[in-house]
DNA sequence: ATATTTTATACGAATAGTGTATGATTTATA
DNA sequence: TATAAATCATACACTATTCGTATAAAATAT
């Protein structure tokens, strides 16, 4: 999927991005130095500066990749000819993935007032959210989601559900993790489906 | 358990240790600055230097705590009047905990040749291992473990088992996570029990 | 063979982190 | 309330780290 895009890029550039992405996600942007990225990516510093002006440009590049990934993911889901239940399941996974990226560490740095990247972070966050909202609006237009629900509310709901999925004692109630995620999924599905389609729901499930 | 020791220490000192412990485990020693510890622990830098000469002394203090925790844990287990199956279960958890502490990040810094703390790290690692080995030797003396097994082999086995427990597709084979950990536990148990006690094993289980 | 890419090393400049001094403020204790 | 002890914010000189660039050698591709 994203593979194709990466392959067009020079090999070393790809190594830098992949390594940096991993390090940034684990330790946050601030803690990682260019030199650490280079040595882990097995690339010399000179090569780094050949492809990126500085660390911030690399960060922007990576965050743009993230956005692209979300956009593409949602576009693909939109096009897919599957039940909306399935779509929600994929959406959930995508949101969870995004959350992992915009994690504590990210938020922390984003909050820091004396960070040059602050404006860019805010922009990224807003765009990510608005992409999700756009997706939901489309679904509302198609009649897959009740029209009187605020998309922003759904986003908040998604986040809460992802939190729930991390609540160990809760998950333990289910014989296997998959059962729990199905439960969450179904709850979501039943709660947002337009009223007029309530009758066909059971048929659709089969 | 360890609670008591902490309470004797001045309050702020405790805050420093707790915060630093958390940060070190998540990001490694090198990445964390004294100032970050202070601000997260809500302690001024002056207070930090009141209790610790420098970052290395804090690290030593924390690593000593870890050792103490292992020693106490194993001593407690030794004293407990429970089946050896149970003991192994607790031992496994303790080893897992220790592994989390001496994680990738730790090893990485420990490997770094130009690190002043290198000798201390090596020493810590050796002592931790030898404490486990001592525990196993005691168990062998008591006849709880087959005498012809090398303790070092058991340590290696424990590590492998902890790795296995993180192998998702494998864990998925079991209806619930607990079942898998029981399986591992029983396998270990059956494999190391002295031959002469093989007959009573089933009775002991009940 | 030749052009391109990548590399190691070294370097000054900029930045960030350390550890200490000072005096004000808070908190505990009598 | 008075007094001692802890904690604090701020500023500071000093050190270590990181940045970004210049150079020329080595590796790789064509």
């Amino acid at each position: 999927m994203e593979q194709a895009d990466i392959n067009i890029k020079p090999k070393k550039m790809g190594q830098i991005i992949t390594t940096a992405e991993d390090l940034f996600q684990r330790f946050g942007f601030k803690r990682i130095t260019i030199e650490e990225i280079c040595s882990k990516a097995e690339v010399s510093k000179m090569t780094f500066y050949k492809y990126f002006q500085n660390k911030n440009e690399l960060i922007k590049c990576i965050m743009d990749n993230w956005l692209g990934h979300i956009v593409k993911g949602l576009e693909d889901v939109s096009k897919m000819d599957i039940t909306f239940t399935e779509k929600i399941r994929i959406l959930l996974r995508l949101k969870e993935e995004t959350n992992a990226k915009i994690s504590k560490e990210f938020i922390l740095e984003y909050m820091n007032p004396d960070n040059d990247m602050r404006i860019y972070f805010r922009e990224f966050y807003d765009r990510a959210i608005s992409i999700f909202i756009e997706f939901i609006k489309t679904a509302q237009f198609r009649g897959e989601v009740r029209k009187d629900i605020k998309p922003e509310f759904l986003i908040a709901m998604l986040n809460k559900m992802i939190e729930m999925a991390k609540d160990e004692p809760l998950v333990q109630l289910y014989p296997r993790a998959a059962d729990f995620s199905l439960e969450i999924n179904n709850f979501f599905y039943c709660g947002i489906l337009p009223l007029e389609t309530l009758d066909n729901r059971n048929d659709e499930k089969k």
Side-chain angles (χ1 to χ4, degrees), chain A:
Chain A
M1 28 178 83
E2 205 179 298
Q3 214 66 347
D5 287 331
I6 286 176
N7 285 343
I8 299 170
K9 293 170 192 158
K11 190 184 151 203
K12 294 274 169 183
M13 191 181 183
Q15 284 171 227
I16 294 171
I17 293 177
T18 313
T19 312
E21 218 167 342
D22 171 54
L23 289 171
F24 286 153
Q25 277 189 48
R26 285 199 290 154
F27 305 114
F29 297 122
K30 198 189 166 196
R31 291 190 170 85
I32 301 304
T33 68
I34 293 178
E35 261 154 4
E36 186 173 4
I37 295 170
C38 289
S39 75
K40 296 254 166 75
E42 293 184 299
V43 155
S44 81
K45 201 161 41 152
M46 289 315 312
T47 308
F48 177 94
Y49 281 105
K50 187 181 176 185
Y51 293 120
F52 304 96
Q53 275 198 296
N54 50 43
K55 197 168 97 177
N56 282 349
E57 291 306 311
L58 170 63
I59 292 175
K60 286 181 188 174
C61 168
I62 286 177
M63 286 177 29
D64 287 346
N65 277 356
W66 289 350
L67 273 185
H69 186 243
I70 299 174
V71 172
K72 191 158 184 323
L74 290 185
E75 272 175 0
D76 286 352
V77 173
S78 290
K79 271 182 265 166
M80 278 168 153
D81 187 25
I82 52 177
T83 66
F84 196 64
T85 326
E86 265 305 320
K87 286 188 184 179
I88 287 292
R89 198 197 308 279
I90 299 173
L91 179 67
L92 257 176
R93 202 169 324 145
L94 199 62
K95 190 72 182 55
E96 197 162 3
E97 221 175 77
T98 310
N99 278 12
K101 280 164 181 163
I102 324 179
S103 61
K104 284 162 298 184
E105 298 313 315
F106 177 90
I107 298 291
L108 230 125
E109 288 171 281
Y110 157 71
M111 293 298 200
N112 188 0
D114 47 59
N115 188 328
D116 298 343
M117 296 287 284
R118 212 186 167 196
I119 314 102
Y120 197 85
F121 289 170
R122 155 107 263 161
E123 201 187 312
F124 171 82
Y125 188 80
D126 290 347
R127 280 172 66 194
I129 294 287
S130 78
I131 289 166
F132 273 103
I133 289 181
E134 217 41 59
F135 174 80
I136 292 165
K137 280 187 179 163
T138 307
Q140 284 180 317
F141 179 75
R142 287 186 189 169
E144 292 171 326
V145 172
R146 229 173 54 223
K147 292 204 166 67
D148 56 320
I149 282 188
K150 277 189 212 295
E152 291 79 4
F153 172 80
L154 275 196
I155 304 281
M157 250 338 255
L158 275 173
N159 282 328
K160 281 296 152 202
M161 283 159 57
I162 288 164
E163 267 176 39
M164 277 174 66
K166 284 171 190 154
D167 183 346
E168 262 312 312
L170 193 63
V171 178
Q172 291 296 328
L173 294 177
Y174 297 81
R176 52 181 84 204
D179 293 337
F180 178 69
S181 101
L182 189 68
E183 174 93 305
I184 280 196
N185 208 56
N186 282 341
F187 174 80
F188 195 82
Y189 173 69
C190 296
I192 65 169
L193 207 68
L195 294 170
E196 61 265 30
T197 63
L198 267 173
D199 308 329
N200 343 353
R201 194 188 313 165
N202 283 328
D203 311 47
E204 201 182 344
K205 258 183 180 171
K206 284 167 203 160

